[in-house]
Amino acid sequence: MKTNLIWFRNDLRIMDNPALEKACEDKDASVIGLYIATPQQWKAHDMSARQACFIHDRLIQLQDELDALNIPLLFHSCDSFTDCVNVIVDLCKEYSVNQIFYNNQYEYNERERDYLLKGKLSPDIECLEFDGNLFTAPLTILNSQKQMYKIFTPFRNAFLDQFVQNIPRIYNQPKAIKKTKIKTHKIPEFDYAKQDYEFFNPNTQKALQKLEEFCAEKVEDYADKRNIPSLDHTSQLSAYLALGVLSVRQCFHYLTQEHPHFWENQKSGAFTWFNELIWREFYQHLIVAHPYLCKHKPFINWTDHVKWKNNKDHFEQWKAGNTGYPIIDAAMRQLNQTGWMHNRLRMIIASFLVKDLLIDWRWGEQYFMSQLTDGDLAANNGGWQWAASTGTDSTPYFRIFNPTTQGKRFDPKGEFIRQWIPELAKVPDKFIHEPQLWSEKKGNITEYPQPIVTHDIAKKKL
Ligand code: FAD
């Protein structure tokens, strides 16, 4: 009898999972599931405690879902990727595994690990790889010189040309297979700090319901409202996508169900949202084409020679949300308290750290990973490099967001600011973006700090 091993990584779902569907295709084969936690590696790469907790809680659900399909989910914890490979080699011997199925991960170290595994397995064991977490495999959307695009818009256009000709299907959820005698154990706690996360319920039905509701109720206005942080008008699906609780194909499927003709209007909310999913795709493709990005090297080489000021006090004030710029501080407090931040705010606070405080973008990138539930190397690196003008598509280095005008534009009445900065509750709307003027003019006292830098001076120093 054949035995197939399905190795779950960032694809923690049973629906629309090509590796799982294929592993279960042969009705005569028994199927074993595997997840390997690597807390030491996670710590070394600043994965947040929130994300580790979310993975843990999600695995408990996944184990139940697989159990109903008669697929045991085995769990191991390893210190290094080498140990991880050894565990798999041993499991293959123990259970006489014939084939290993998995969905690709694209980060450099993960690809090295898979390469190592293939070299260590006995030649009669086959690894079957799938691109289950993307619409298209990396390095399949190339320019006329057969290279990865350096700019998003032409990548997007080429992507759309291919996509309409070959709209990806949803992979079937497998039917229950024959029961095996393998016993599973409850997923243990990880060797990791504990931290609550918000917004992301690890239950599959809850995740699907959120996607469905977003497509039915919010996506239509997404183009108009997505930049207003107080409105909560984005999908908040990012951690589900980062860890593969949901797939981008499922997103597309629900979107077309609700808005079958969304293609026809590129200005529509639905198309604008789909465009964000293509940004995600772009950054994933980019780290495969330019693996040095995973080592936190800038995309634009010369920017590695920038002399950063790296003032540690400023960095601490930025992290804590005490810079004296209300929109920056509200955003950082949202991140620290919930593990999530609105996209517009991610752009503003990143620009502030790099261009107003002249702090190396990698400090911000690392801090984000240590806080986010949706931390994802490709998207995070792409976002930071975009903001720092060191990456693809970046605005020129001298373009800088003005935190006060950004605040006035995207949070005109300060609703978002007041939600996160109680010290400013009493400040009138007129002064909410510059509360120090209110204190000075009226002799009012707040416990809110003075700006740690003057934006107009910082701008001239660039
Ligand atoms: P929606 O607006 O509903 O978008 C839907 C999905 O599209 C998101 O869930 C995400 O998977 C994808 N997406 C949206 N915008 C982007 C983008 N610019 N780049 C790549 N994918 C995108 N996203 C992460 O998932 N993980 C990160 O670690 C991360 N770090 C970022 C750091 C910076 C400095 C910046 C500027 C952006 C970062 N992003 C990151 C992208 C984006 O901010 C988040 O994906 C988004 O805010 C998540 O909220 P949402 O699910 O409501 O997004």
Side-chain angles (χ1 to χ4, degrees):
M1 185 168 169
K2 272 177 69 180
T3 303
N4 293 337
L5 184 73
I6 157 96
W7 179 14
F8 288 92
R9 296 114 72 101
N10 278 359
D11 55 342
L12 304 179
R13 62 181 184 276
I14 60 166
M15 288 187 223
D16 191 40
N17 185 330
L20 179 64
E21 187 199 85
K22 295 290 172 192
C24 298
E25 224 162 43
D26 181 349
K27 295 288 161 245
D28 294 326
S30 62
V31 181
I32 304 172
L34 171 68
Y35 184 84
I36 306 179
T38 51
Q40 299 310 324
Q41 294 272 325
W42 294 346
K43 282 174 198 163
H45 292 95
D46 304 296
M47 187 210 267
S48 71
R50 291 184 175 105
Q51 189 168 80
C53 288
F54 181 66
I55 293 175
H56 175 267
D57 297 351
R58 176 60 204 156
L59 283 174
I60 292 173
Q61 305 271 331
L62 184 67
Q63 195 173 45
D64 284 349
E65 291 171 12
L66 287 168
D67 206 35
L69 303 176
N70 295 329
I71 300 174
L73 179 66
L74 306 179
F75 173 86
H76 283 261
S77 185
C78 292
D79 283 350
S80 69
F81 279 163
T82 315
D83 291 351
C84 193
V85 165
N86 293 336
V87 160
I88 297 178
V89 171
D90 290 348
L91 281 176
C92 287
K93 283 189 200 134
E94 187 179 346
Y95 295 107
S96 307
V97 169
N98 304 90
Q99 292 182 308
I100 304 178
F101 296 75
Y102 53 79
N103 289 302
N104 283 319
Q105 290 181 292
Y106 305 107
E107 293 84 357
Y108 179 81
N109 290 342
E110 278 72 359
R111 288 170 63 210
E112 286 284 295
R113 174 202 58 198
D114 295 349
Y115 186 71
L116 188 68
L117 173 68
K118 283 181 264 180
K120 278 212 166 184
L121 284 171
S122 88
D124 54 327
I125 302 177
E126 203 184 352
C127 284
L128 290 106
E129 304 173 324
F130 302 86
D131 291 291
N133 288 334
L134 293 179
F135 288 121
T136 52
L139 307 183
T140 56
I141 298 179
L142 301 173
N143 65 20
S144 52
Q145 284 90 49
K146 303 278 174 241
Q147 285 172 349
M148 171 65 190
Y149 287 93
K150 293 188 171 135
I151 298 184
F152 175 71
T153 307
F155 171 86
R156 199 263 312 262
N157 295 341
F159 169 90
L160 289 172
D161 285 349
Q162 281 193 24
F163 191 80
V164 287
Q165 285 172 34
N166 191 11
I167 300 228
R169 71 171 175 100
I170 295 272
Y171 291 83
N172 296 323
Q173 176 180 323
K175 298 205 168 70
I177 54 168
K178 273 187 241 157
K179 232 185 164 87
T180 64
K181 289 195 178 125
I182 298 170
K183 282 223 171 325
T184 54
H185 301 280
K186 198 171 165 249
I187 306 290
E189 296 292 335
F190 299 160
D191 173 18
Y192 227 83
K194 296 264 156 305
Q195 199 175 11
D196 289 340
Y197 50 84
E198 282 189 34
F199 304 123
F200 300 100
N201 189 315
N203 176 283
T204 302
Q205 290 316 318
K206 296 275 186 219
L208 283 170
Q209 190 186 348
K210 197 170 178 188
L211 168 60
E212 199 171 358
E213 281 172 11
F214 175 75
C215 291
E217 293 163 18
K218 289 193 174 173
V219 84
E220 206 160 356
D221 298 330
Y222 179 79
D224 298 331
K225 297 187 177 164
R226 72 185 172 129
N227 277 312
I228 311 293
S230 61
L231 291 182
D232 272 346
H233 217 84
T234 65
S235 68
Q236 288 186 342
L237 294 172
S238 45
Y240 293 137
L241 286 165
L243 296 161
V245 180
L246 295 177
S247 75
V248 278
R249 284 178 305 275
Q250 287 174 300
C251 292
F252 177 77
H253 175 76
Y254 278 91
L255 193 58
T256 37
Q257 253 184 5
E258 289 294 332
H259 303 276
H261 304 293
F262 85 83
W263 294 102
E264 290 160 18
N265 178 6
Q266 293 211 354
K267 295 211 165 90
S268 66
F271 195 94
T272 311
W273 191 63
F274 184 57
N275 198 50
E276 295 305 316
L277 299 178
I278 310 176
W279 269 106
R280 176 181 181 275
E281 197 91 355
F282 178 60
Y283 286 139
Q284 295 279 343
H285 285 215
L286 210 62
I287 59 168
V288 176
H290 303 286
Y292 59 85
L293 294 174
C294 300
K295 305 273 177 203
H296 313 286
K297 289 267 164 222
F299 185 77
I300 302 173
N301 254 334
W302 69 262
T303 61
D304 221 5
H305 303 296
V306 171
K307 296 255 178 292
W308 303 105
K309 255 170 93 179
N310 290 345
N311 178 318
K312 291 201 174 117
D313 292 337
H314 281 174
F315 186 52
E316 291 305 317
Q317 284 154 324
W318 174 84
K319 281 190 337 194
N322 281 326
T323 67
Y325 284 94
I327 196 71
I328 304 285
D329 295 340
M332 293 307 291
R333 294 183 194 193
Q334 179 185 41
L335 174 68
N336 293 335
Q337 286 176 42
T338 68
W340 184 85
M341 191 195 286
H342 187 278
N343 180 59
R344 168 59 48 184
L345 302 176
R346 296 190 201 209
M347 296 194 288
I348 305 174
I349 61 91
S351 168
F352 183 80
L353 182 80
V354 177
K355 298 190 176 173
D356 285 84
L357 302 182
L358 283 175
I359 289 179
D360 192 331
W361 56 271
R362 284 163 280 225
W363 291 27
E365 184 195 18
Q366 193 181 18
Y367 186 68
F368 257 39
M369 284 312 268
S370 75
Q371 295 299 315
L372 287 170
T373 311
D374 66 26
D376 168 85
L377 192 151
N380 194 39
N381 184 274
W384 275 96
Q385 295 224 37
W386 179 88
S389 302
T390 64
T392 57
D393 263 281
S394 290
T395 48
Y397 74 91
F398 49 82
R399 290 272 304 277
I400 173 170
F401 280 134
N402 178 325
T404 309
T405 41
Q406 287 284 312
K408 285 181 181 166
R409 191 161 159 212
F410 297 112
D411 190 29
K413 293 195 169 149
E415 285 157 284
F416 181 80
I417 290 173
R418 283 199 184 79
Q419 190 186 339
W420 295 101
I421 312 184
E423 305 95 286
L424 297 180
K426 287 191 190 141
V427 177
D429 291 359
K430 196 175 155 198
F431 294 104
I432 193 71
H433 299 283
E434 293 168 287
Q436 54 284 355
L437 297 182
W438 182 65
S439 329
E440 278 162 23
K441 261 194 186 162
K442 314 265 177 191
N444 294 304
I445 295 170
T446 69
E447 284 173 19
Y448 187 67
Q450 290 292 316
I452 57 172
V453 287
T454 306
H455 173 74
D456 288 340
I457 297 175
K459 189 177 166 189
K460 286 193 190 120
K461 284 190 183 159
L462 271 182

